[in-house]
Amino acid sequence: MILGGSAEARELAGRLAPRFEVTTSLAGRVNNPAVPAGALRIGGFGGEVGLRKWLVDNSIDAVLDATHPFAATITENAVAACDRLGIPHLVLRRPPWPAGDATVVSSAAEAKDAVTAQGFSRVFLTSGRSSIGAFLFSDAWFLIRVVEPMSADELPERHHLLLSRGPYTVAAETELMRQYEIEVLVTKNSGGSMTSAKLEAAAALNIPVVMIDRPALPENVSTVATVDEAQQWVIERDTAGV
Ligand code: NAP
């Protein structure tokens, strides 16, 4: 079973599906998600207990957690469930972006404080819908980019909402930041190439970056950084009959 919601999860499903019975699990946050190869299930499991039951009911031999680096709850639940059931488990996490000159913070609330402290008034907020609540009561103006629509009461008063999903180009990101006269970029440290163009664009325009650091992974978890390594892990275990 692949815990999905990332481009890497889709790629891994595509590589494994011809040879293994693969089910990808999605949380169901976005309408019309890109459909991976193999079977697909959508929706939460009901915490660690529900996940354990699902793994047993579906005779799962191995769990590959290829969720987004900020999806900390499902990652913790999967570690706990697999530990208790003795199911082989691997986390696929793309490497973080180098922080460079960015102001590194550990939460959306700290990001808001950093933006306020530095007196920025035009903010490009790309840190995802769950982080926007931290910016609700602010005098600044926000360009907010998210995947799914949000209601007015979830958004700061002064904003423009952009609905889109990557990948983005440096040229388009540069033009966007120029057009909206952006003074600071707020981002999670998601890593990967799909959304990294904004960092290059910000650097070229001398726009400072506030970067929300990743949540820590649970201790003693086997982790790889690439789809190749995750695929290899499955093949080796299968060959060894683990
Ligand atoms: P989260 O905080 O770790 O998870 C919250 C709850 O959502 C989990 O407890 C679980 O519900 C359910 N869930 C999460 N991922 C699931 C999956 N792959 N399959 C089934 N249930 C799942 O996660 P999140 O940050 O809300 O992210 C949700 C999904 O969006 C993840 O799959 C992630 O890969 C993707 N995503 C997240 C971000 C981000 O910035 N956080 C960005 C891009 C994509 P139950 O407890 O009921 O099982």
Side-chain angles (χ1 to χ4, degrees):
M1 191 261 271
I2 298 174
L3 288 168
S6 66
E8 289 87 344
R10 274 193 306 284
E11 192 183 339
L12 187 58
R15 295 213 205 161
L16 296 178
R19 181 164 164 185
F20 301 96
E21 275 182 62
V22 176
T23 299
T24 296
S25 175
L26 299 178
R29 297 280 188 275
V30 296
N31 293 314
N32 304 319
V35 176
L40 178 64
R41 69 162 299 287
I42 298 181
F45 297 95
E48 189 235 321
V49 173
L51 175 57
R52 243 189 293 147
K53 180 174 180 334
W54 191 91
L55 293 173
V56 172
D57 288 351
N58 290 274
S59 307
I60 296 299
D61 292 326
V63 172
L64 291 134
D65 177 348
T67 54
H68 187 273
F70 281 79
T73 306
I74 190 70
T75 291
E76 274 175 31
N77 289 349
V79 169
C82 290
D83 265 3
R84 292 186 70 167
L85 295 171
I87 294 179
H89 168 269
L90 183 75
V91 174
L92 166 55
R93 276 290 175 283
R94 62 178 89 123
W97 293 316
D101 294 334
T103 302
V104 177
V105 296
S106 57
S107 66
E110 284 183 23
K112 193 247 180 181
D113 291 345
V115 166
T116 307
Q118 294 175 59
F120 296 118
S121 59
R122 295 186 69 81
V123 185
F124 186 16
L125 204 49
T126 64
S127 46
R129 83 182 283 133
S130 63
S131 69
I132 290 164
F135 293 86
L136 269 189
F137 305 105
S138 168
D139 295 333
W141 179 92
F142 296 91
L143 177 62
I144 297 174
R145 184 165 67 193
V146 286
V147 176
E148 294 288 323
M150 296 182 68
S151 59
D153 59 347
E154 297 175 292
L155 295 164
E157 197 179 337
R158 302 176 60 229
H159 73 269
H160 178 71
L161 189 65
L162 281 180
L163 300 182
S164 76
R165 62 178 84 174
Y168 304 104
T169 64
V170 177
E173 295 288 61
T174 306
E175 177 50 31
L176 190 67
M177 289 190 223
R178 271 212 190 103
Q179 182 191 348
Y180 286 98
E181 298 172 6
I182 295 301
E183 294 174 1
V184 63
L185 165 69
V186 177
T187 178
K188 286 175 174 165
N189 191 340
S190 298
S193 57
M194 293 256 295
T195 58
S196 60
K198 61 189 168 187
L199 298 175
E200 273 185 63
L205 294 168
N206 273 323
I207 292 173
V209 176
V210 175
M211 192 178 278
I212 305 174
D213 208 1
R214 294 176 172 196
L217 278 170
E219 283 178 13
N220 302 322
V221 175
S222 301
T223 310
V224 295
T226 63
V227 174
D228 277 350
E229 292 169 289
Q231 181 183 11
Q232 199 54 36
W233 182 88
V234 175
I235 291 169
E236 278 167 12
R237 288 189 160 261
D238 183 52
T239 309
V242 180

